[in-house]
Amino acid sequence: WMADQLLWYSRIHPDDRKSAIENEQLAIREKRQYQTEYRFIKKDGSMIWIRDESLNIPEKNGGRENVVQGLLLDVTPQKQAEEELQSNQSLLTAVIENIPFDFWVNDQNDRYILQNSVSRELAGNLIGKTVDDLEIPDEIRKIYKDKHLRALKGETIREEVEFLRNGEKVFALNIHVPFWHH
């Protein structure tokens, strides 16, 4: 590193190099701490993710105008975990959105926290609402609330229901299933 002052620049992944250098130069001009993350190519050619935290220290008596002092932290495991989490979130969203029936999830306070497109088409956006917030007849509200609360206590409810939609008799299979995630 001492023999080749451009070594750091040459080891930054080519797709990240311009941004990393521009951010460093801006931090030096503004005399502030530099913090960023980028891909870094190791001596053996493998790639890791680096969190770079450095600070420009002006040199008063030396021949150089300034010194950038800092540390490089290998954050590859955190980046891999973030990528896996994002991939899992994308998969979950795709699965939920492709369920061909009305699907939603309520939290322990009976608040809607998840809803697929079929449900949004039938009932509008429910996220953040409770059964009490819905514009439905009181007798239906009472039935929904009772079933939600029973499921929240651990009961699985499976029933066929009949109702009118746009003046036409419709049958539906309702399933209320408790599940908890930790």
Side-chain angles (χ1 to χ4, degrees):
W1 289 78
M2 297 299 288
D4 182 1
Q5 294 184 4
L6 299 178
L7 180 64
W8 172 74
Y9 300 104
S10 70
R11 295 296 178 118
I12 299 172
H13 190 281
D15 293 343
D16 300 338
R17 190 174 296 142
K18 181 180 178 192
S19 174
I21 293 170
E22 286 175 355
N23 288 334
E24 178 201 35
Q25 291 171 346
L26 182 61
I28 289 171
R29 279 196 308 273
E30 294 178 352
K31 297 181 171 124
R32 63 173 170 78
Q33 186 175 3
Y34 170 68
Q35 292 181 332
T36 192
E37 292 181 358
Y38 50 82
R39 292 167 291 180
F40 191 80
I41 302 166
K42 294 175 26 178
K43 187 176 184 178
D44 67 5
S46 63
M47 189 192 72
I48 60 174
W49 276 95
I50 292 290
R51 177 178 299 126
D52 186 338
E53 298 183 12
S54 55
L55 185 62
N56 178 41
I57 302 171
E59 286 282 314
K60 294 183 180 172
N61 299 325
R64 294 176 279 181
E65 291 182 22
N66 62 57
V67 173
V68 176
Q69 185 177 25
L71 55 107
L72 304 177
L73 302 167
D74 182 352
V75 294
T76 305
Q78 292 94 321
K79 282 294 191 179
Q80 289 170 337
E82 288 172 12
E83 289 171 4
E84 185 176 342
L85 181 62
Q86 180 61 42
S87 176
N88 289 341
Q89 183 62 43
S90 295
L91 177 61
L92 177 62
T93 299
V95 168
I96 290 169
E97 284 301 318
N98 284 288
I99 294 173
F101 51 82
D102 181 10
F103 178 85
W104 41 261
V105 176
N106 291 67
D107 67 12
Q108 66 275 9
N109 298 312
D110 198 28
R111 191 166 303 282
Y112 291 91
I113 59 170
L114 193 60
Q115 179 183 27
N116 73 354
S117 57
V118 174
S119 178
R120 283 190 301 278
E121 187 177 313
L122 291 171
N125 185 7
L126 300 176
I127 303 301
K129 297 178 181 177
T130 67
V131 173
D132 290 330
D133 299 325
L134 304 181
E135 295 179 19
I136 55 177
D138 286 339
E139 64 273 6
I140 294 175
R141 181 186 335 277
K142 185 175 187 269
I143 292 168
Y144 279 10
K145 191 165 188 153
D146 174 64
K147 289 181 184 0
H148 290 188
L149 294 176
R150 285 170 46 201
L152 287 170
K153 290 178 182 173
E155 183 180 346
T156 297
I157 304 165
R158 180 187 166 113
E159 64 185 359
E160 291 184 28
V161 294
E162 173 185 326
F163 59 96
L164 292 177
R165 178 181 291 151
N166 299 326
E168 188 176 320
K169 189 184 283 191
V170 177
F171 297 91
L173 173 63
N174 286 344
I175 304 173
H176 300 261
V177 180
F179 77 93
W180 295 267
H181 65 92
H182 303 283

